Amino acid sequence: MTVELKQQDNVAILWINNPPVNALSHQVRMGLKLGLDFATGAGARAIVIAGQGGTFIAGADIKEFGKPPKEPMLGELIDLIEACSLPVVAAIEGNTLGGGLEVALGCHYRITSASARMGLPEVSLGILPGAGGTQRLPRLIDAAEALTIVTSGTPINAEKAMAIGLVDEIAEGDCLDAAVALANKIADQPFEDKRLSSRTLSRSADTDKLFAEAEAAIIKRARGAIAPVKAAECVKAAFELPYLEGIAKERATFMELVISDQSKALRHIFFAERAAAKPPSDVSGKPHEVNSVGIIGGGTMGGGIAMTFAEAGIPVTIIEMSEEASKRGIAVMEKNWQRSAARGRISKDDVANRMALVSGSTSYDDLKDTDLIIEAVFETMAIKKEVFAKIDAVAKPDAVLASNTSYLDINEIAASTSRPRDVLGMHYFSPANIMRLLEIVRAKETGDDTLLTALAIAKRTRKNAVVAGVCHGFIGNRMLTPYARQAGLLLLEGASPEQIDNALTKFGFAMGVFSVGDLAGLDIGYKSRRDRKLEPHEVKVSLIADRLVEAGHLGQKSGSGYYSYNKETRAKSENPEATKVINEVREELQITPRNIEDKEIIERTQYSLINEGAHILGEHIAQRASDIDVVYIHGYGYPRWRGGPMHYGDNVGLKSVAAAVTRFAEGDGALFWKPAPLLLELAENEMSFADYDRQNR
Ligand code: 3HC
């Protein structure tokens, strides 16, 4: 039974049981409708709607989107709840999201457990609350708060919900018991005014100002995503239209959004994230318990990784070469947390609690009882092997030994230890405490239990894990090389850094490739190019970057790179010196600059990602195309609403992509483009990457 009916003290309880998150599937909607009918006819004085398993309702069932709708529709059901002749209390626990919160808004009273999370995350799926949420919420709480909840998609906690009047009470003790007690208390009281749809809203100078001011900010934050903008329009409509007309607008907008490419892309990535976090099908066994973590190296990367663990409540020891370095690393962490506290994101107690979990040491002996040890030292094989030899000497049997290398061969690192089955890669992205991506690199001999431990710890520390095989740069960085090369070639051929970056940000990227280079420091790529022998075509494509570094333009840290940066505001503008360097290099290489359209910039940069992704997939470095999408969205600022590079390729059509890649690879293009056999094969068979994933499930 997806909805059980219980009777307690003349109160009927409709108890939803649809694990894991009590999504509002057709069965649940039916169950609630039948339960409502039964309860009203069975002499109950009031009704409580509650969820089993510690969750009220996490929303509509996303798996039903795109399928023929089945009655009762959620909006109708909520109308029935609101119109019920008995007072209905929502017992809010755990995740109360989307349609779940809309059900609660249809109830006449809301009581919550202290640990519940409430929100309308629909915009993160490219839709908006489609069961009355945009119209009922502003009839209950302040307009600005309602607008934020609907357009940001970010859930709030019980304390905040109480403060803004979203709930009537925070339960002390068991939420269901408290809901029944409340139901008994209010059973005989009038509750006409608790039906939110009957409340009238009207425009005022204040609301006009609120919506006018919020619009630009919402558009900017959305970076090309349409749902938040449409959602704001619907909330505004609540102040301009009678309830039923507002609902009609919400419904029409929902229907338009749910079939949009953006919503399909966002739903794709929702399921892609969850698929990526699951153990590969050939893996069995159990993860080890992780109660302590050691990090070798307390620099930017090591410090960020250490913060991730302390933030998840896991004690972490940082090993540094000297006490000063260790103190310095920990001081940076403390400063970062204090900054978050000053901005109100965490409390002062949080800072103290996290700091209490961090310790520094210069002795590897302090890691002898540690469950997971992550190396985050300089990116050189010899140094990594030296560090792993020291870890190997002290670590307890079964400790998981991970390297945070971004490019190096984990098989070689593992083979240098006496326990290759305990070794894998855990590749974090900088700043590691902020970026959600974690590439877990499975080496040839990595044990199943080792891999499962890394996956489990990723979940516990709220990272989006993706399992990758061993190759130079794994999934993300390997794809970055051809992408950055295309940008470099476009620059040589006539586009400016601004034009290329603008085309990419217009496409939806958080930052363009040259702005990213300036942020990271152009000297980093310069050094790595000096460390290996480059082919002549590689030299050509990095000539501008090399000349900039040699002239002291290292990027933001030196005040100029591809762009000039204002010292105070950090605002960027054209760097005339860079323009001079670009022109000189073009002349030297006898390139006559041509006019390049944004369309070409997007095709060449995006198809280079897709083509390399197809190589990676064909070589089984990635398990699924959708894993690659997760990597690019969480590690490289790829627009989430485009669903990732592989999903974008499916949208363009692999036939077109393959034809363009084949054309790019003609003549000299062969130096930079090698069409991926898998891409050609899928295109030939009129298949998509999604088809490939389905076949290989
Ligand atoms: N519909 C269908 N399946 C859902 C779901 C939903 N709304 N929410 C979660 N699931 C599934 C997941 O796909 C996953 O399935 P799997 O085990 O087969 O991979 C399983 O439930 C567990 O989910 P998580 O791994 O995400 O579990 P967590 O405990 O980490 O997170 C959660 C729980 C916070 C509820 C998270 O799942 C989540 O954010 N869910 C989506 C919530 C949401 O967006 N709700 C709005 C839906 S749209 C809507 O309501 C429209 C309405 O306005 C008309």
Side-chain angles (χ1 to χ4, degrees):
M1 288 278 274
T2 50
V3 179
E4 288 170 29
L5 185 71
K6 295 206 312 177
Q7 188 92 6
Q8 192 176 320
D9 309 336
N10 284 333
V11 173
I13 302 167
L14 307 187
W15 214 23
I16 305 166
N17 177 21
N18 186 25
V21 296
N22 289 337
L24 288 156
S25 64
H26 176 238
Q27 293 273 326
V28 172
R29 299 196 304 275
M30 282 291 290
L32 284 173
K33 185 169 187 275
L34 289 174
L36 213 55
D37 284 348
F38 189 81
T40 42
R45 294 169 66 223
I47 297 172
V48 167
I49 301 182
Q52 299 187 27
T55 295
F56 182 61
I57 301 166
D61 188 336
I62 304 169
K63 293 191 192 93
E64 286 183 1
F65 290 175
K67 295 188 181 151
K70 281 194 196 163
E71 306 224 319
M73 307 295 284
L74 185 57
E76 288 164 21
L77 172 69
I78 295 174
D79 287 347
L80 290 175
I81 295 171
E82 195 187 51
C84 183
S85 57
L86 298 174
V88 186
V89 178
I92 295 174
E93 276 191 285
N95 289 306
T96 299
L97 303 172
L101 186 57
E102 290 176 298
V103 168
L105 289 168
C107 295
H108 310 110
Y109 294 86
R110 285 158 291 278
I111 182 164
T112 180
S113 69
S115 60
R117 290 166 77 242
M118 284 155 261
L120 294 169
E122 283 88 343
V123 289
S124 58
L125 296 169
I127 51 174
L128 48 66
T134 65
Q135 305 303 298
R136 283 196 179 92
L137 190 64
R139 284 173 161 78
L140 178 65
I141 63 170
D142 171 68
E145 298 284 3
L147 187 64
T148 304
I149 289 176
V150 173
T151 58
S152 73
T154 312
I156 57 172
N157 61 22
E159 203 184 322
K160 167 92 182 172
M162 188 69 203
I164 62 175
L166 178 57
V167 294
D168 303 288
E169 247 181 63
I170 299 181
E172 280 175 22
D174 184 77
C175 186
L176 183 53
D177 287 347
V180 172
L182 176 66
N184 269 312
K185 195 171 97 186
I186 51 86
D188 300 320
Q189 292 174 15
F191 59 97
E192 277 305 303
D193 64 334
K194 303 282 182 194
R195 296 192 173 109
L196 297 178
S197 69
S198 65
R199 295 187 185 173
T200 320
L201 282 182
S202 53
R203 279 173 68 170
S204 68
D206 281 352
T207 56
D208 283 355
K209 188 161 167 265
L210 167 74
F211 289 107
E213 284 176 1
E215 194 183 2
I218 290 167
I219 292 174
K220 186 160 178 243
R221 215 177 322 115
R223 286 212 324 257
I226 46 175
V229 183
K230 296 274 182 189
E233 286 171 11
C234 285
V235 178
K236 188 173 167 215
F239 293 85
E240 296 172 337
L241 301 173
Y243 178 77
L244 286 178
E245 283 177 40
I247 284 288
K249 181 176 168 71
E250 178 194 271
R251 189 81 220 139
T253 315
F254 179 90
M255 296 312 282
E256 174 194 322
L257 289 177
V258 81
I259 55 166
S260 68
D261 283 347
Q262 289 201 3
S263 179
K264 284 179 200 152
L266 288 161
R267 270 140 49 199
H268 157 77
I269 207 69
F270 176 86
F271 289 113
E273 286 164 352
R274 280 146 186 89
K278 297 217 158 68
S281 53
D282 61 335
V283 167
S284 58
K286 276 198 173 141
H288 299 275
E289 249 189 61
V290 174
N291 295 315
S292 55
V293 174
I295 312 281
I296 318 292
T300 311
M301 207 60 212
I305 300 171
M307 286 175 78
T308 299
F309 286 101
E311 285 169 18
I314 304 170
V316 58
T317 305
I318 298 171
I319 305 289
E320 259 295 355
M321 311 252 265
S322 68
E323 249 175 59
E324 294 84 76
S326 156
K327 279 196 186 131
R328 213 181 314 128
I330 295 176
V332 171
M333 294 165 62
E334 186 171 23
K335 213 170 101 200
N336 285 339
W337 282 326
Q338 275 169 346
R339 202 178 308 135
S340 299
R343 289 184 184 149
R345 294 202 184 123
I346 55 173
S347 70
K348 284 202 172 125
D349 282 353
D350 289 333
V351 179
N353 293 340
R354 290 169 182 187
M355 282 303 291
L357 292 168
V358 181
S359 58
S361 169
T362 53
S363 167
Y364 280 72
D365 286 341
D366 286 337
L367 300 183
K368 65 179 177 10
D369 298 320
T370 305
D371 300 318
L372 165 65
I373 302 172
I374 304 174
E375 160 282 306
V377 300
F378 202 70
E379 190 73 353
T380 306
M381 184 54 94
I383 300 180
K384 302 264 186 208
K385 282 188 183 167
E386 224 174 87
V387 166
F388 267 84
K390 288 186 191 162
I391 301 174
D392 195 9
V394 298
K396 65 178 185 179
D398 279 351
V400 169
L401 315 184
S403 170
N404 176 53
T405 179
S406 336
Y407 286 97
L408 298 176
D409 183 347
I410 310 270
N411 287 327
E412 193 179 331
I413 297 174
S416 76
T417 70
S418 65
R419 42 174 122 182
R421 65 172 314 287
D422 296 337
V423 178
L424 46 55
M426 286 176 74
H427 180 211
Y428 287 87
F429 289 72
S430 189
N433 57 317
I434 308 275
M435 298 292 281
R436 298 280 303 272
L437 179 63
L438 175 61
E439 276 184 334
I440 296 179
V441 187
R442 184 182 186 187
K444 224 169 25 204
E445 295 194 43
T446 302
D448 285 4
D449 49 340
T450 310
L451 186 67
L452 291 170
T453 307
L455 281 164
I457 206 73
K459 183 154 174 101
R460 213 167 131 201
T461 52
R462 304 190 49 232
K463 295 291 177 199
N464 285 103
V466 174
V467 177
V470 177
C471 67
H472 187 73
F474 318 123
I475 298 174
N477 283 345
R478 173 167 162 184
M479 286 165 69
L480 202 56
T481 304
Y483 168 77
R485 265 189 204 150
Q486 284 309 310
L489 282 173
L490 287 158
L491 188 62
L492 281 176
E493 290 168 33
S496 67
E498 290 88 339
Q499 190 198 352
I500 297 169
D501 280 358
N502 285 344
L504 291 169
T505 48
K506 244 194 284 165
F507 181 81
F509 272 92
M511 280 173 102
V513 62
F514 296 107
S515 302
V516 171
D518 275 0
L519 181 68
L522 301 181
D523 51 326
I524 295 177
Y526 183 86
K527 278 196 204 111
S528 89
R529 286 194 291 278
R530 295 294 160 290
D531 285 346
R532 49 193 188 99
K533 200 177 145 15
L534 300 183
E535 299 291 330
H537 68 281
E538 292 178 296
V539 174
K540 181 178 124 181
V541 81
S542 52
L543 211 51
I544 292 173
D546 287 353
R547 295 278 161 83
L548 285 173
V549 172
E550 283 155 13
H553 302 289
L554 308 184
Q556 284 200 21
K557 61 179 151 189
S558 72
S560 63
Y562 287 104
Y563 300 93
S564 290
Y565 295 88
N566 181 299
K567 273 203 186 87
E568 267 121 53
T569 61
R570 284 210 189 165
K572 67 176 187 219
S573 56
E574 186 193 332
N575 177 6
E577 296 290 318
T579 310
K580 206 165 128 225
V581 168
I582 294 166
N583 287 333
E584 280 167 7
V585 171
R586 283 175 185 157
E587 250 177 60
E588 200 177 311
L589 297 174
Q590 297 178 341
I591 296 171
T592 312
R594 64 184 172 90
N595 197 12
I596 295 177
E597 307 232 324
D598 285 4
K599 181 170 178 281
E600 181 177 345
I601 296 174
I602 294 305
E603 280 188 358
R604 284 173 51 184
T605 52
Q606 300 316 301
Y607 294 3
S608 68
L609 285 178
I610 299 167
N611 188 50
E612 197 60 34
H615 277 297
I616 286 172
L617 205 53
E619 292 167 26
H620 305 292
I621 296 295
Q623 299 177 78
R624 312 169 189 87
S626 66
D627 286 5
I628 299 175
D629 289 333
V630 174
V631 166
Y632 259 74
I633 280 169
H634 289 291
Y636 297 85
Y638 195 96
R640 188 177 172 87
W641 56 265
R642 285 202 189 267
M646 309 308 269
H647 184 83
Y648 176 69
D650 278 354
N651 262 353
V652 172
L654 295 192
K655 255 202 157 125
S656 299
V657 178
V661 168
T662 309
R663 184 162 38 84
F664 295 149
E666 284 166 5
D668 279 355
L671 292 168
F672 296 99
W673 293 91
K674 308 230 169 332
L678 179 65
L679 173 65
L680 300 180
E681 187 192 317
L682 291 175
E684 175 74 29
N685 293 318
E686 305 205 345
M687 283 172 70
S688 62
F689 289 122
D691 292 331
Y692 173 88
D693 281 358
R694 266 189 292 275
Q695 270 187 3
N696 291 281
R697 209 177 267 164

